[in-house]
């Protein structure tokens, strides 16, 4: 590996090396979100097939008053901290309602994507000039420790958009436990979970008719070309998504259309692909209410309230430390 790379690029290079050397090959979904990936994800959120955004939007619009009561918990001051905030478009529905009740809130967005944070801070400064907004760029796994703040108002930690679905079950429990470790007893977690449903509704959300989800996945190969000097020929890979109803998980892959060799200069290595060999790109886990309550108990929380959309597609779950 080249030693002249920045620490961030070095980590990207190391993860790409590990993923493309493994059998089966894989790439980490956290690298989807360079500027182009963030822009494509904003397009995905507007797709009719990507029902998740509409469901969470509906829950926030319908239940904003109850959510506010649960967050304020009789006092009014609290800090909203959003992990993997994206462009904050759904969160703005809640903030708009909250600011009609109190001025005593602040909002911190944590995201790995500078493009997402720039879009969010610009939008929020226009929409909510009185709101204190803090943007922190970084990996939420690394930033957790700095969330400990005993003298500050109560924390509402939000992890929306079913982001948690990209983790394995064990990673989810470990993640929730590390969140618990930086929370005070009166803090709460507000989570978005995509629920199990007809597989014929789920699959198009990850494989839409206009090919935006395909472009989003393929962009990671272009990112490797741009940042690590790869020579992936994007036309020689195709995107494929499926849903495994027994495990309740949607999976996305990039499939090599032909036998080929790909050179990545930052790694000083080439990688061989058999015809129809797959790179595993992403898991998007779907949940039942029972699984959500098991996860809460296993991670040191209890469910205070669940908010569900009209079609029973999606659940925002509010957790309190046990
Ligand atoms: C699926 S999008 C969801 C965005 C937003 N929460 C929503 O519901 O619309 C995931 C977001 O998490 C960010 N992200 C992914 N992995 C991350 C990580 N390890 N640390 C910080 N942010 C991350 C991405 O940049 C992206 O903005």
């Amino acid at each position: 590996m080249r030693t002249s790379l920045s620490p961030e690029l070095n980590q990207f290079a190391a993860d790409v090396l590990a993923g493309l050397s493994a059998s089966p090959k894989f790439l980490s979904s956290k690298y989807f979100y360079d500027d182009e990936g963030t822009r494509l994800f904003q397009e995905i959120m507007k797709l009719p097939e990507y029902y998740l955004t509409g469901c969470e939007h509906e829950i926030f619009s319908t239940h904003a008053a109850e959510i506010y009561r649960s967050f304020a918990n009789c006092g009014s001051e609290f800090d909203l901290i959003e992990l993997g905030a994206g462009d904050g478009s759904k969160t703005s529905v809640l903030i708009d309602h909250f600011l009609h009740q109190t001025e005593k809130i602040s909002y911190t967005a944590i995201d790995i994507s500078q493009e997402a944070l720039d879009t969010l801070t610009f939008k929020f400064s226009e929409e909510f000039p009185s709101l204190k907004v803090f943007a922190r760029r970084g990996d939420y796994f690394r930033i957790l420790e700095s969330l400990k703040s005993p003298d500050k108002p109560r924390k509402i930690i939000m992890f929306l958009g079913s982001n948690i679905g990209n983790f394995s079950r064990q990673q989810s429990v470990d993640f929730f436990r590390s969140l618990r470790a930086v929370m005070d007893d009166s803090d709460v977690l507000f989570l978005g979970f995509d629920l199990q449903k007809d597989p014929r509704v789920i699959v198009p959300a990850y494989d839409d008719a206009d090919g935006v989800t395909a472009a989003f996945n393929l962009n990671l190969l272009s990112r490797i070309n741009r940042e690590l000097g790869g020579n992936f020929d994007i036309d020689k890979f195709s995107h494929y998504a499926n849903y495994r109803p027994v495990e309740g998980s949607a999976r996305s892959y990039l499939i090599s259309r032909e036998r080929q060799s790909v050179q990545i200069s930052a790694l000083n290595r080439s990688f061989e692909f058999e015809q129809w060999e797959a790179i595993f790109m992403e898991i998007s886990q779907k949940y039942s209410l029972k699984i959500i309550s098991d996860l809460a108990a296993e991670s040191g929380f209890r469910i205070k309230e669940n908010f569900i959309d009209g079609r029973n597609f999606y659940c925002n779950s509010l957790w309190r430390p046990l």
Side-chain angles (χ1 to χ4, degrees):
M1 220 181 294
R2 276 196 206 148
T3 47
S4 56
L5 300 177
S6 67
E8 211 168 313
L9 262 189
N10 240 323
Q11 187 59 53
F12 181 31
D15 289 344
V16 168
L17 176 62
L20 295 185
S21 309
S23 180
K25 293 181 172 65
F26 69 92
L27 290 169
S28 163
S29 59
K30 86 172 179 194
Y31 294 112
F32 280 143
Y33 299 94
D34 65 346
D35 289 358
E36 178 61 5
T38 297
R39 196 193 60 71
L40 285 165
F41 187 72
Q42 283 163 12
E43 267 187 60
I44 289 175
M45 289 202 299
K46 293 183 201 134
L47 293 170
E49 293 98 329
Y50 199 73
Y51 58 85
L52 292 85
T53 309
C55 294
E56 202 161 45
H57 194 281
E58 176 197 317
I59 292 171
F60 291 177
S61 310
T62 318
H63 298 286
E66 292 152 82
I67 294 172
Y68 173 73
R69 276 196 296 277
S70 285
F71 283 10
N73 197 23
C74 302
S76 58
E77 206 168 340
F78 54 84
D79 285 340
L80 288 168
I81 299 169
E82 182 163 7
L83 308 176
D87 69 0
S89 49
K90 289 166 293 174
T91 309
S92 69
V93 175
L94 289 181
I95 291 181
D96 187 41
H97 179 86
F98 296 169
L99 287 176
H100 282 91
Q101 321 300 316
T102 178
E103 293 266 296
K104 289 197 276 176
I105 57 172
S106 70
Y107 174 77
T108 302
I110 296 170
D111 204 290
I112 209 165
S113 157
Q114 189 60 48
E115 171 74 11
L117 290 174
D118 290 346
T119 308
L120 182 147
T121 42
F122 177 75
K123 205 164 61 176
F124 279 23
S125 67
E126 300 252 292
E127 274 179 50
F128 312 119
S130 66
L131 180 69
K132 270 189 265 164
V133 177
F134 305 95
R136 296 186 56 186
R137 177 163 184 261
D139 191 323
Y140 35 61
F141 292 103
R142 304 215 168 141
I143 281 179
L144 286 185
E145 192 56 28
S146 66
L147 297 181
K148 255 191 186 153
S149 53
D151 305 328
K152 292 235 182 106
R154 291 175 56 238
K155 290 190 288 295
I156 315 290
I157 300 180
M158 303 194 293
F159 197 44
L160 306 176
S162 208
N163 275 7
I164 192 65
N166 299 144
F167 297 6
S168 70
R169 188 190 163 93
Q170 192 53 51
Q171 284 171 330
S172 308
V173 171
D174 292 345
F175 184 62
F176 291 140
R177 285 187 180 153
S178 31
L179 285 175
R180 174 65 190 96
V182 298
M183 289 168 69
D184 291 327
D185 290 349
S186 62
D187 295 341
V188 292
L189 259 187
F190 190 55
L191 302 162
F193 290 100
D194 194 17
L195 297 176
Q196 292 177 358
K197 59 183 70 62
D198 186 342
R200 281 159 289 227
V201 173
I202 294 173
V203 174
Y206 300 93
D207 191 10
D208 62 289
D210 289 342
V212 187
T213 43
F216 177 68
N217 279 266
L218 288 164
N219 176 58
L220 184 39
L221 303 188
S222 305
R223 181 177 185 182
I224 294 172
N225 287 350
R226 284 190 293 271
E227 297 184 18
L228 301 177
N231 71 348
F232 276 105
D233 180 344
I234 307 306
D235 293 337
K236 290 188 182 165
F237 288 84
S238 64
H239 167 250
Y240 172 72
N242 69 7
Y243 178 68
R244 297 184 183 175
V246 174
E247 289 104 333
S249 59
R251 283 157 199 262
S252 302
Y253 306 87
L254 290 176
I255 313 281
S256 176
R257 291 173 185 271
E258 56 185 70
R259 188 170 183 176
Q260 55 183 312
S261 176
V262 173
Q263 173 77 30
I264 300 182
S265 65
L267 300 176
N268 211 5
R269 262 204 60 173
S270 58
F271 299 89
E272 306 306 316
F273 290 83
E274 294 299 329
Q275 189 178 29
W276 307 125
E277 185 177 348
I279 313 175
F280 175 48
M281 301 297 285
E282 184 178 46
I283 183 168
S284 300
Q285 187 64 39
K286 310 299 163 193
Y287 302 85
S288 64
L289 295 180
K290 162 93 172 69
I291 295 173
I292 296 172
S293 105
D294 289 348
L295 273 175
E298 219 177 300
S299 316
F301 292 90
R302 71 175 174 78
I303 296 177
K304 186 171 183 235
E305 211 165 343
N306 280 335
F307 302 92
I308 296 171
D309 67 299
R311 289 181 295 179
N312 283 324
F313 275 10
Y314 196 91
C315 173
N316 283 109
S317 194
L318 186 68
W319 292 8
R320 269 195 163 156
L322 269 176

